[in-house]
Amino acid sequence: MEFDLRPRRLDVYIVKKFITTFFVALLLIIGIVIIFDISEKIDDFVSKEAPLRAVVFDYYVNFVPYFMNMFSPLFVFITVIFFTSKMAADTEIVAILSCGISFHRMMVPYIFSATLIAIFSLCLNLFVIPEANKTRLEFENQYIKQRFKGVGRNVHYQISPGEYVFAESFSSWNNTAYRFTLERIENDRLVSKISAESAVYDTASGSWRLKKYFIREYNDDLTDRVRSGRQIDTIIPLTVKDFYLTENTVETLTYRELNELIDIQQMRGDANVKFALIEKNTRFALPFSAFILTIMGVALSSKKRRGGIGWNIGIGIALAFTYILFLRFSQMFVHTGALPPAIALWLPNVVFAIIAIFLYRIAPK
């Protein structure tokens, strides 16, 4: 029965091979990567006196899930290619098909295994990796990279409906915005304008201290009222983080926090919203690739080849790296404005899904 989905011994056999090979390959590659990473960063660890406990638990323990998820498409594809090619070389697939089990039915345990891996990857993306990245990136900033202390220029935000902030420059060294302006507009009319030579953020109270300020309030009869002073404290829905959000910042946000950031940045007209949109779409597009690459891997490796499994593994590695490069390259479409993030980040899956369908249709039945 072609569409009999009742579990069989064959299903358990394939699922066990798939999951076991996948995680063994992960552990082996992660071990090799950690060794190379230690050899590369050992000078930074020693020169900056990084504690051994921090190196192990703050950095590498949080580095593992990040690395696992980044290269999960590669591991899925190589896993399927490897053990399916071995099954074909040992004539196991021929025996399976000879027993009356169709090629479509044989795909069921593969799809089930891909579903488990996709759920695993999605859980890492949504719940584990954001928290792990907070600790990992903090460690990198302290012991590996130079902490960002740059100056943002010509920052212009809509901080709330009708309220606009402009700063000619912002220095994160002293949390100070220079040539600061806050405008409030109602019904397409300028209601008030606050100008200050500088605005210093108080991290303790969450307020801004405006120095050498001018407050101009405009009346309906076209008259205005001007007040000035040396210093005044005020609450503005703006923090220092808003001035230097980077690409790495979005990697530390949970899914809810990421959506909130996107809403705020879109309301403000912040160009940095592209980083958050890329991160959001990548978190879903990457796990979905497990299905596409599994189907493609089975279609490529289910036929016994005269040259053995080496050719299949070579093709698998090449296609897997092509997918990862395509996924990274598609982000350039977002940065250049050529495509919206939702289309650009899902484009590799669409292209490879078409290739997978074509290969599956011509695969040996």
Side-chain angles (χ1 to χ4, degrees):
M1 295 179 64
E2 184 173 342
F3 296 101
D4 183 6
L5 298 180
R6 288 176 298 178
R8 302 183 180 186
R9 186 172 297 178
L10 172 64
D11 299 327
V12 176
Y13 176 73
I14 292 178
V15 170
K16 184 179 179 180
K17 272 185 169 292
F18 196 146
I19 300 300
T20 302
T21 307
F22 175 76
F23 281 104
V24 168
L26 270 180
L27 292 176
L28 289 175
I29 298 299
I30 287 173
I32 295 172
V33 169
I34 288 177
I35 291 173
F36 279 100
D37 193 71
I38 291 175
S39 64
E40 179 184 351
K41 296 184 172 68
I42 187 67
D43 291 338
D44 292 322
F45 296 156
V46 173
S47 63
K48 297 185 179 180
E49 300 180 351
L52 179 60
R53 179 181 177 84
V55 172
V56 175
F57 293 100
D58 292 348
Y59 183 64
Y60 282 109
V61 168
N62 293 300
F63 172 81
V64 169
Y66 172 78
F67 178 83
M68 287 173 56
N69 190 67
M70 178 185 296
F71 291 98
S72 62
L74 173 64
F75 295 130
V76 168
F77 206 23
I78 292 177
T79 295
V80 174
I81 291 284
F82 177 77
F83 84 82
T84 306
S85 296
K86 193 172 185 306
M87 288 174 62
D90 295 338
T91 324
E92 293 183 49
I93 293 181
V94 173
I96 291 171
L97 299 178
S98 300
C99 291
I101 298 177
S102 70
F103 192 78
H104 301 300
R105 178 61 182 81
M106 190 186 74
M107 286 297 302
V108 172
Y110 281 96
I111 298 300
F112 176 77
S113 301
T115 302
L116 294 180
I117 293 174
I119 294 174
F120 174 71
S121 178
L122 188 62
C123 290
L124 285 179
N125 271 332
L126 298 181
F127 306 111
V128 178
I129 293 178
E131 293 298 326
N133 281 342
K134 291 179 182 179
T135 306
R136 179 180 64 85
L137 292 175
E138 182 62 29
F139 178 91
E140 289 182 355
N141 288 333
Q142 185 172 357
Y143 297 108
I144 300 175
K145 302 176 182 178
Q146 291 293 328
R147 184 179 294 273
F148 176 79
K149 291 292 183 181
V151 176
R153 295 193 175 276
N154 296 324
V155 180
H156 195 183
Y157 285 145
Q158 178 181 247
I159 58 175
S160 64
E163 284 192 298
Y164 299 86
V165 161
F166 173 78
E168 185 177 283
S169 63
F170 176 81
S171 174
S172 57
W173 287 102
N174 52 8
N175 292 340
T176 301
Y178 298 96
R179 300 296 176 88
F180 180 86
T181 301
L182 173 62
E183 296 179 345
R184 188 160 61 90
I185 298 176
E186 295 180 0
N187 299 323
D188 298 326
R189 187 177 66 85
L190 183 62
V191 176
S192 65
K193 181 177 180 179
I194 302 176
S195 302
E197 184 176 286
S198 64
V200 182
Y201 184 71
D202 187 341
T203 55
S205 63
S207 63
W208 289 88
R209 179 163 296 169
L210 307 184
K211 297 182 178 181
K212 295 185 179 180
Y213 68 90
F214 287 87
I215 301 177
R216 188 182 295 269
E217 297 174 338
Y218 299 90
N219 302 318
D220 294 334
D221 57 1
L222 302 182
T223 60
D224 58 359
R225 178 189 174 197
V226 179
R227 290 178 291 152
S228 63
R230 296 189 52 140
Q231 182 175 293
I232 188 174
D233 292 340
T234 183
I235 300 294
I236 302 173
L238 192 72
T239 67
V240 293
K241 293 182 179 179
D242 295 316
F243 285 97
Y244 51 93
L245 286 171
T246 65
E247 183 178 1
N248 288 337
T249 303
V250 297
E251 296 178 2
T252 65
L253 302 180
T254 64
Y255 185 65
R256 180 182 60 82
E257 293 170 339
L258 192 61
N259 283 328
E260 291 176 354
L261 177 63
I262 290 173
D263 292 339
I264 292 173
Q265 289 184 322
Q266 286 179 335
M267 182 270 292
R268 292 176 175 176
D270 188 350
N272 287 329
V273 70
K274 61 188 176 184
F275 295 123
L277 290 172
I278 288 173
E279 177 69 16
K280 179 180 178 179
N281 284 279
T282 301
R283 290 186 184 184
F284 288 94
L286 201 62
F288 187 79
S289 67
F291 299 103
I292 299 170
L293 298 178
T294 295
I295 295 172
M296 189 183 301
V298 176
L300 285 171
S301 58
S302 57
K303 182 179 179 180
K304 184 175 182 179
R305 296 184 183 273
R306 183 172 300 177
I309 67 176
W311 179 249
N312 287 341
I313 293 177
I315 294 175
I317 292 175
L319 285 174
F321 273 112
T322 301
Y323 172 82
I324 294 174
L325 288 175
F326 191 5
L327 185 64
R328 295 299 173 184
F329 183 74
S330 64
Q331 297 181 9
M332 296 303 298
F333 296 136
V334 182
H335 291 295
T336 58
L339 290 173
I343 296 177
L345 273 300
W346 282 89
L347 185 60
N349 282 344
V350 173
V351 172
F352 273 75
I354 294 173
I355 297 174
I357 292 171
F358 172 75
L359 293 174
Y360 184 78
R361 289 178 63 88
I362 65 174
K365 300 299 191 291

